[in-house]
Structure formats: C-alpha cells, structure tokens
Amino acid sequence: MKTLVIITVVFVTVFAVSIASAVAHPFLIIDESDYPAMQARASQPPWNSMKSNAISAFNSTTISAGETEYVKAGKMATLMRTAPLCYILDPGNRTAYVDKIYDSLLFWDDIEPWIGSDNWTTVVRPGKAFFNSVLTLDIVYNDLTSAQRATLESALASVGDKYFSGPGKVSSWPLNRWGCAGIWAVYSQNSSRITTCANNYYDRFFSLVTPDGVFIPGPDYASARLGGHVDSKTYFMDVLEYTGEDNRYYSDAKLGKFYEWLYGYSVTPFKMNYSFGDAIPLCPPGESPYGKAAIYRADRFSAEAGHLASWCEGTPDPSATFLDYLLYDSSMMSPEKPTTRIFPDGGAWLMEDNSSDRSLAGVLYNPKTDPTANHARKQVNSIAIAA
C-alpha cells in the first residue's frame, strides 16, 4: 500500500507540469544558439536601423487600461512584433524589456472577450497581435518566474481556445483562425490540436490556389494573406516547418508556383497590383508597409520565387519587426524580371522582353478552378494591359 501511494503521488506531480515546459524555449521559430549571429548583424545596415527603430517603437508604445480593445490590439501588435528584437539585440536592458512585455501581455484579459464579434477588426487585427505575443512569450520564457509564466499562459490559452473553437465570425477568416489557434497548440504541445490546425490551415490555403499557383481571389488578397500583411496567416507555416510539426510547405510544388506568381505575375512591370478579383492597383507585395518578411524567405519554396521576390522588392527596406530581421538575408538571390508565362489554370502573362519598368505587359486572366472563393470575381477571360 505504501508503494502504491508513492507511485500515485509521483504520477500526479509529473502530470501537473506545464506541457509547454517539456520543451526547451525558445523553440517556435528560433533557438537561443541563433542569438549571437543576430547580434553580430546589428552593427551593419540595414539591421542597425532595424534594431534602433524596433527599440524606439517598443519604448514609445504603451497600452493603457482606459483604451478601447481595438487600440489595445493595435498597440499589442506593435509591441510584440518588436519585443523579441529588443530582448535579443539589447541584452543589457533585458530586465526592463521583460517587465514591460509581462505587463503588456496581461491586457489579453481585456482583449479576449472582444474577439469574435461580427467584424473584421475583432478577428484579424488581434490575430496579428496574438501570433506575435506567443512568439514573444516563447522567447522570454526563461526570464519569467513560474508564477508569471502561469499567469500569461492562462491569459493566452483563453485566446487560443477561442480561435480554435471558432465562435461567431472567428471562423470566417480561416487562415487567421488556424494560424492563431495553431501557434498556441504548438507552444502548448497539444498534439491533437496541432494536427487539426495544421490540416485546416493547409487545406484552406490550397482551396484558394489553382494547381498552377494563381490565387483565385486576386493579387491584393494574395499579398494580404500570404505576403506578410497579417503574420498569423503568413507565417504559421514557418512555425510548423521550424518545429518539424508539418514539413509540407517548403517542398510543395504548388506553393512554390504560388510564390512565383505572387512576386512575378501578380504585379505589373512597374510593380502595381493587377486589379483582378477584389483588388485595386495599389501596394504590391514588395512595398508592404506592414512588414514583408515573406519576401525574404521566398527562395525556400523555389529558386525562381527567390529571384522574382528580389525583383519585386527592388531596393531592400526591411521593416523593424522581429520576423523581418530574422528572415532578411543580405545574400538574397539576384533579381530577375518575370518573362512571358502561361499558367494553364490561371491565365497568360505576356511580357515584353526587356528589363525596363516601363515595359509592356498584357494578361488574359482565366482560372478554371471554381471562382466562388471569398473575394473572387467572375472574371474568366478578363484582360489587363499595363503600360
């Protein structure tokens, strides 16, 4: 009987340990052994300005109790997209950063009840903030007390659970939903939820892309969803790849074709969006004001995507976010202007054969895949001419 009691006590104690603590943090998209290389880059452009801009943005942004949830979510995104850079690149002030990160993340208790009403601002806006909050918690994990970790994990778990269960309008933006629920599932090492989130994220993305890589809702939403406008939509695949939870992305030929199309064929020679689908000729993916780290890892999907991404961006000007800093590499592939290409399920892109941004282009847009995807239009055999 005594032996049985001892075994029972030991079992309960082990079972009560936080699932997330079973892994060595950070582990979601970076390892502590990567810090020295990141710190070494901080003395050179453009990383030096990224560092100073990130520190300035973090220090000048403070969430206040009396602000609306909309404002709190926006400030949370700013703070958590820059916080990891401050923590990694300015270790002398690490204690102050961790204190502010902890105090800021407590505001998820205010934001969480607001998520899920019938409005884009209450779903996708906090999605970017939440995704980066989990990345930040993973990075500062070892500098928090066990009590602080428990408090923050409880607050963030409520948000992750809400995105997973999908009440109300949360389920209407699936890439954001599964990216948010998924990163929390990976952080907390919930294997069944990881599988559910990864499969739904994968299936939702591929339902929007023709077999030849053309994004059915059009160029604007291709950039918004997979070009880095909303981190939860774009970078969940990178977390899955880095952690080894799902390695379908970088080797997927269809995804490679998509990134070739996004950076080479969704834009005109003078780099404005074609206006197919729900799009206007503004803000091409290479000039995103929201951070464009996706452009810096395009070559992970195909060499051609890497060359076209360098062409699409033009002069590198990374934003001061953790993901931009992490993924930007000065040895990006050489820029190559897109040439005439037929996408059998998507259309024909006819390009004048010269390197000028004043060259001519004509497009016959003709996706055969069901055009009823969200934000798509009935545009079979639509024509655009760029001059």
Side-chain angles (χ1 to χ4, degrees):
M1 182 63 70
K2 290 181 179 178
T3 302
L4 178 60
V5 171
I6 292 171
I7 291 173
T8 303
V9 171
V10 171
F11 176 77
V12 171
T13 301
V14 172
F15 186 77
V17 173
S18 167
I19 296 175
S21 67
V23 299
H25 294 263
F27 75 102
L28 290 176
I29 203 166
I30 194 172
D31 184 86
E32 208 165 355
S33 63
D34 299 318
Y35 291 179
M38 292 187 68
Q39 292 162 352
R41 281 187 281 168
S43 62
Q44 312 163 50
W47 298 285
N48 54 355
S49 61
M50 295 169 74
K51 173 185 174 180
S52 61
N53 290 341
I55 292 173
S56 175
F58 181 84
N59 287 336
S60 63
T61 303
T62 301
I63 303 174
S64 301
E67 294 171 326
T68 66
E69 289 82 0
Y70 178 86
V71 172
K72 288 175 182 174
K75 288 187 173 183
M76 186 74 77
T78 298
L79 287 167
M80 299 307 149
R81 295 179 96 207
T82 55
L85 269 190
C86 299
Y87 175 89
I88 294 170
L89 302 182
D90 188 18
N93 292 304
R94 193 166 282 180
T95 299
Y97 294 135
V98 172
D99 288 345
K100 184 171 180 177
I101 289 167
Y102 176 77
D103 291 341
S104 300
L105 288 175
L106 292 176
F107 282 100
W108 276 110
D109 284 337
D110 296 344
I111 300 171
E112 184 273 329
W114 173 70
I115 297 173
S117 62
D118 192 15
N119 194 311
W120 179 92
T121 61
T122 65
V123 179
V124 179
R125 184 182 181 92
K128 180 190 295 186
F130 180 71
F131 188 87
N132 285 282
S133 293
V134 180
L135 288 180
T136 300
L137 177 58
D138 175 53
I139 288 168
V140 304
Y141 183 95
N142 296 313
D143 285 279
L144 297 168
T145 67
S146 58
Q148 287 176 321
R149 286 197 296 267
T151 298
L152 295 183
E153 286 176 349
S154 176
L156 293 178
S158 296
V159 182
D161 289 345
K162 174 165 278 190
Y163 277 111
F164 185 81
S165 61
K169 202 69 172 175
V170 170
S171 60
S172 295
W173 288 281
L175 285 175
N176 177 73
R177 174 190 175 187
W178 296 118
C180 289
I183 194 171
W184 184 251
V186 177
Y187 174 91
S188 58
Q189 294 289 279
N190 186 324
S191 57
S192 63
R193 283 197 179 187
I194 292 171
T195 300
T196 299
C197 294
N199 287 339
N200 278 286
Y201 177 84
Y202 185 90
D203 292 344
R204 177 58 179 171
F205 168 71
F206 281 98
S207 72
L208 299 171
V209 182
T210 75
D212 298 301
V214 176
F215 200 73
I216 301 167
D220 197 21
Y221 277 87
S223 179
R225 290 172 176 168
L226 277 305
H229 284 218
V230 182
D231 300 340
S232 52
K233 297 180 181 183
T234 305
Y235 302 112
F236 181 47
M237 67 177 73
D238 298 282
V239 170
L240 291 171
E241 285 276 2
Y242 186 83
T243 57
E245 296 290 354
D246 189 348
N247 296 120
R248 289 181 284 183
Y249 295 92
Y250 297 157
S251 60
D252 193 290
K254 185 175 176 181
L255 191 52
K257 292 176 183 177
F258 163 75
Y259 273 110
E260 292 165 13
W261 175 83
L262 176 64
Y263 293 126
Y265 298 91
S266 73
V267 296
T268 67
F270 44 91
K271 301 173 185 176
M272 301 299 285
N273 283 336
Y274 288 107
S275 55
F276 298 119
D278 192 355
I280 55 177
L282 295 173
C283 193
E287 297 181 8
S288 168
Y290 305 107
K292 49 188 177 181
I295 211 164
Y296 304 128
R297 49 70 146 144
D299 61 338
R300 298 183 183 184
F301 302 94
S302 82
E304 184 174 357
H307 290 300
L308 292 171
S310 293
W311 168 82
C312 186
E313 189 200 25
T315 303
D317 183 23
S319 303
T321 74
F322 165 61
L323 288 171
D324 278 277
Y325 192 103
L326 179 67
L327 295 172
Y328 177 70
D329 184 348
S330 60
S331 61
M332 285 177 66
M333 302 186 77
S334 58
E336 293 183 6
K337 183 177 181 288
T339 57
T340 291
R341 180 167 172 178
I342 306 297
F343 294 83
D345 191 343
W349 271 256
L350 309 177
M351 319 291 288
E352 187 178 3
D353 188 17
N354 66 55
S355 60
S356 171
D357 64 0
R358 298 298 181 181
S359 62
L360 307 180
V363 180
L364 173 66
Y365 187 68
N366 190 14
K368 294 183 288 185
T369 300
D370 182 7
T372 59
N374 186 245
H375 293 288
R377 298 290 179 261
K378 297 179 179 180
Q379 289 183 288
V380 171
N381 293 333
S382 292
I383 293 173
I385 296 173

